[in-house]
Amino acid sequence: LMNAWTETPTKWYPLPLAVGALLLVAIQYRKKVRGSRKEVELDENGMEVIRLKGPWHVHVMGALPLRNLSRLWGYVNEVELPIWFRPHGYRIYANLFGCNLDEIDSPLDSYPSLGAFFYRKLKPGVRPVDGAVLVSPADGTVLHFGTVKGMQVEQVKGITYHLDALLGVERPGSPISHAEHNRDMSIVDDQEFAEINGIEYTLEQLIGTSNGSSGTSTPSLAQPTESDALLAHPPPKKYGERFDASVVEPSRDNLAHDASVAREMGVRPAMERKGSMSARNIRPGNSLFFTVIYLAPGDYHRFHSPTAWVVEKRRHFVGELFSVSPWMAKRLENLFVLNERVALLGRWKYGFFGMVPVGATNVGSIKVNFDQALRTNVRGRLPPPGAYTEAVYSNASPILRGQPLTPAEEMGGFRLG
Amino acid sequence: STVVLVFEAPADFEFSVHAGQKVKVGHRLGD
């Protein structure tokens, strides 16, 4: 071999022009075939079939058991650390990832594990809320923003994904309707009163109640316990079913909060319309916008409400758990559509509003405070991309027919693993 | 992890951030 390598003479000679031309033709033909294949990759509903696309290192990552790794990472990080080690360990972590320890409201040794420290709360008042109509829901880096054109959202420059693939599409013939679930509480649309558990309240009374209380504090909402939610509305056995995740008994305190959100939103509760808003039906003179915020490992990992809005439903898409770092976003097409995510859909004063927390390998668990039934990153066979379970929050507020949220109100967060 | 916002707003809505900018909870995104 050594002799052959060193002693074989190299003889260079030009290729005929025809070979180069044939090569170009072959490359063009391959591109054309790929393009035509893309056009026909549709499912029975006419939706594009999402597949792993990208350079070879993306396919190597796709072959890894990312979900199992993510869960293992979660278990490891829930291991309770010795009290003497906690301050040192968390300080090392904070120095490595740039956490500001002055912002946390508990002593370092009170966090039993790295997972608990990662999901830390902040001191009240360390995040002043701007008066703008839209504020940041999380600490992080703005990756991208812009206008949604032709239902295409730009992931990075030149790479787009379809909005329907991100948020899901309405499925007719859902087994449980809003009307069936709301039989014990209803809103009379054309008259300004609401009937709750047999008692009629005028909306003036409800809003008046709110005016009489402290306008700056946010009353805490009664949350359903996990067992209540599961008993009242067992989770669906298969993908595509709908169930109502909210089992909150409405109280006057809740109603005062809801009325406050209604005022902030600039809508009168009695003007609720039937059905829910959709990204496909925007009002004349309006446009659809998007923004993507990336949370790095050291960032505070809870997310808050970006505006005053009402969450009407959530769609949980079980997917893979690729990294969502800017490096990966530039290489893997449809990254946000392939990953496990929770699409929270609703409305604000300008119409449709949607917020989608997207998980990743290290933070695969998405928690939503007002939805105790939601479980993400669970063991099991992966459903096809695009399949989701849907929960509606119509019982959360009889006035607003959804879960009302005020600007910067904590909504949930990402947990390790 | 990532948070994606998709929303309807008047056509003259303007973002007040730039790509790559660090933001914190409550920071103005647009108006």
Side-chain angles (χ1 to χ4, degrees):
Chain A
L1 276 173
M2 279 302 291
N3 286 344
W5 182 254
T6 52
E7 293 172 14
T8 305
T10 307
K11 188 181 174 187
W12 296 94
Y13 54 91
L15 283 170
L17 189 64
V19 175
L22 275 175
L23 184 67
L24 286 174
V25 168
I27 290 170
Q28 285 300 322
Y29 176 74
R30 200 173 159 191
K31 273 188 186 169
K32 196 177 173 183
V33 168
R34 279 188 176 175
S36 62
R37 268 187 199 156
K38 191 179 176 185
E39 281 169 22
V40 296
E41 281 187 327
L42 302 173
D43 64 11
E44 65 273 12
N45 300 319
M47 296 294 298
E48 183 190 348
V49 178
I50 306 295
R51 293 192 198 286
L52 194 68
K53 281 182 245 172
W56 65 269
H57 27 279
V58 163
H59 290 271
V60 170
M61 286 203 74
L64 295 173
L66 294 176
R67 295 173 60 79
N68 290 334
L69 286 172
S70 177
R71 280 194 294 277
L72 179 67
W73 177 244
Y75 293 132
V76 169
N77 283 296
E78 286 305 312
V79 172
E80 196 162 318
L81 300 171
I83 294 174
W84 63 266
F85 176 75
R86 292 175 191 173
H88 310 293
Y90 300 147
R91 279 207 182 89
I92 292 170
Y93 179 88
N95 285 333
L96 277 175
F97 293 103
C99 316
N100 184 358
L101 296 180
D102 296 333
E103 292 179 336
I104 58 175
D105 65 348
S106 307
L108 285 177
D109 54 11
S110 66
Y111 298 101
S113 62
L114 183 61
F117 177 74
F118 187 82
Y119 200 63
R120 61 197 177 273
K121 278 182 89 75
L122 298 182
K123 281 179 192 166
V126 294
R127 292 283 181 275
V129 182
D130 194 277
V133 73
L134 187 74
V135 296
S136 175
D139 283 12
T141 307
V142 178
L143 278 192
H144 213 56
F145 63 87
T147 315
V148 179
K149 288 174 185 156
M151 297 299 280
Q152 295 289 324
V153 187
E154 202 164 60
Q155 181 175 314
V156 290
K157 196 80 179 166
I159 300 180
T160 60
Y161 53 89
H162 203 278
L163 191 59
D164 283 343
L166 178 75
L167 305 178
V169 287
E170 289 294 334
R171 290 178 183 150
S174 300
I176 300 173
S177 72
H178 286 252
E180 285 166 351
H181 258 275
N182 291 335
R183 60 187 178 275
D184 58 349
M185 62 175 101
S186 60
I187 290 180
V188 182
D189 285 326
D190 47 1
Q191 298 176 47
E192 294 189 355
F193 67 88
E195 184 184 325
I196 301 139
N197 296 340
I199 303 167
E200 284 181 5
Y201 296 97
T202 68
L203 295 174
E204 289 301 325
Q205 276 180 325
L206 296 171
I207 293 170
T209 306
S210 174
N211 283 339
S213 64
S214 164
T216 50
S217 64
T218 305
S220 60
L221 286 171
Q223 300 298 340
T225 64
E226 182 185 336
S227 56
D228 284 346
L230 292 174
L231 284 172
H233 305 290
K237 288 175 184 163
K238 63 177 183 180
Y239 283 87
E241 285 189 12
R242 284 158 63 106
F243 65 100
D244 199 318
S246 53
V247 289
V248 180
E249 284 298 317
S251 68
R252 288 183 74 96
D253 282 346
N254 298 149
L255 296 173
H257 174 263
D258 301 352
S260 152
V261 176
R263 269 202 317 278
E264 277 194 61
M265 287 177 64
V267 297
R268 288 178 67 86
M271 289 169 72
E272 293 279 350
R273 77 275 134 253
K274 292 185 174 87
S276 54
M277 295 226 170
S278 148
R280 283 194 167 272
N281 303 315
I282 61 168
R283 298 172 191 169
N286 283 1
S287 298
L288 266 183
F289 297 87
F290 75 93
T291 184
V292 183
I293 295 166
Y294 168 67
L295 289 73
D299 289 332
Y300 165 67
H301 259 71
R302 296 188 184 221
F303 49 78
H304 294 239
S305 171
T307 187
W309 66 302
V310 175
V311 190
E312 294 176 337
K313 65 179 84 166
R314 67 117 158 108
R315 289 174 179 164
H316 173 209
F317 297 79
V318 180
E320 257 306 341
L321 284 169
F322 296 105
S323 160
V324 287
S325 66
W327 184 88
M328 199 65 174
K330 283 179 190 161
R331 284 160 182 83
L332 175 52
E333 282 184 48
N334 291 310
L335 174 59
F336 302 124
V337 178
L338 286 165
N339 269 30
E340 179 148 359
R341 65 197 182 279
V342 177
L344 299 164
L345 309 177
R347 63 187 193 277
W348 70 329
K349 63 180 170 183
Y350 299 118
F352 169 79
F353 198 93
M355 177 170 167
V356 190
V358 185
T361 321
N362 61 333
V363 280
S365 301
I366 301 167
K367 193 181 166 198
V368 175
N369 294 349
F370 52 83
D371 190 341
Q372 302 291 322
L374 175 66
R375 288 286 176 279
T376 60
N377 197 9
V378 290
R379 187 193 295 268
R381 235 186 80 210
L382 219 59
Y388 62 82
T389 50
E390 183 173 279
V392 291
Y393 301 128
S394 53
N395 285 358
S397 164
I399 298 180
L400 295 165
R401 290 187 191 166
Q403 177 66 46
L405 296 165
T406 49
E409 183 177 342
E410 188 188 310
M411 292 175 68
F414 298 96
R415 303 208 66 160
L416 286 177
Chain B
S1 41
T2 299
V3 177
V4 181
L5 300 180
V6 180
F7 54 94
E8 178 182 352
D12 58 356
F13 177 88
E14 281 186 8
F15 284 97
S16 46
V17 287
H18 55 82
Q21 183 178 334
K22 294 254 183 197
V23 289
K24 291 195 182 290
V25 171
H27 188 282
R28 168 188 291 251
L29 280 187
D31 217 337

